[in-house]
Amino acid sequence: MRIDTIAPAEGARTGEKRLGRGIGSGLGKTSGKGHKGQWARSGGGVRPGFEGGQMPLARRIPKRGFNNHFRKEYVIVNLASLADLPAGTVVDYGFVLSNGLAKDVKNNSGLKVLGGGELSVALTVRAAKYSASAKESIEKAGGTAETV
């Protein structure tokens, strides 16, 4: 076998459309463009979304809502994911991300701890925000909840 004898499988490659090569080709005369009209002309056709001068759908439908550019998003972690950690562990933003306890959020404002689950280990938690139940559970377990 030589490299110059290698060919694609039969029927795997189709030939290019050769337009305007006689009536027998099936693509002669008008070359597949039909008779006259905008689509038959050179450079013819309209841009996507154009509805013939009628007000386009994208402009007929009202705009709704807005995006607050000043909103604060937090990396969120529940107490349930901190319950298995050894006592005395210092839990902060870097610790949570490096151990895969929460997903990172783009343009985040730090760590927020929520009170989902039970905590029975004394931990030092350093976060930007806490829910009331999370703070209570951390302190009840003998740990400290420090606001960064």
Side-chain angles (χ1 to χ4, degrees), residues 4-5 32 61 74 115 140:
D4 63 316
T5 63
I61 295 179
Y74 296 92
K140 187 175 163 188

Side-chain angles (χ1 to χ4, degrees), residues 12-34:
R13 305 275 306 236
T14 56
E16 63 177 295
K17 275 189 182 181
R18 296 187 69 227
L19 303 176
R21 293 299 183 272
I23 201 164
S25 70
L27 292 168
K29 193 181 173 198
T30 53
S31 301
K33 286 184 171 278

Side-chain angles (χ1 to χ4, degrees), residues 62-68:
K63 296 193 285 185
R64 268 183 64 85
F66 85 112
N67 290 322
N68 182 1

Side-chain angles (χ1 to χ4, degrees), residues 6 12 33 45 47 57 60 64 91 102 105 121 127 130 135 141:
I6 297 173
K33 286 184 171 278
R47 66 182 178 275
L57 181 68
R60 288 199 303 267
R64 268 183 64 85
V91 179
V105 178
V121 201
Y130 299 89
K135 198 163 196 169

Side-chain angles (χ1 to χ4, degrees), residues 104-127:
D104 195 7
V105 178
K106 194 164 52 170
N107 302 328
N108 67 61
S109 301
L111 182 65
K112 182 172 183 177
V113 183
L114 301 180
E118 290 291 315
L119 188 66
S120 56
V121 201
L123 301 172
T124 303
V125 184
R126 295 184 181 132

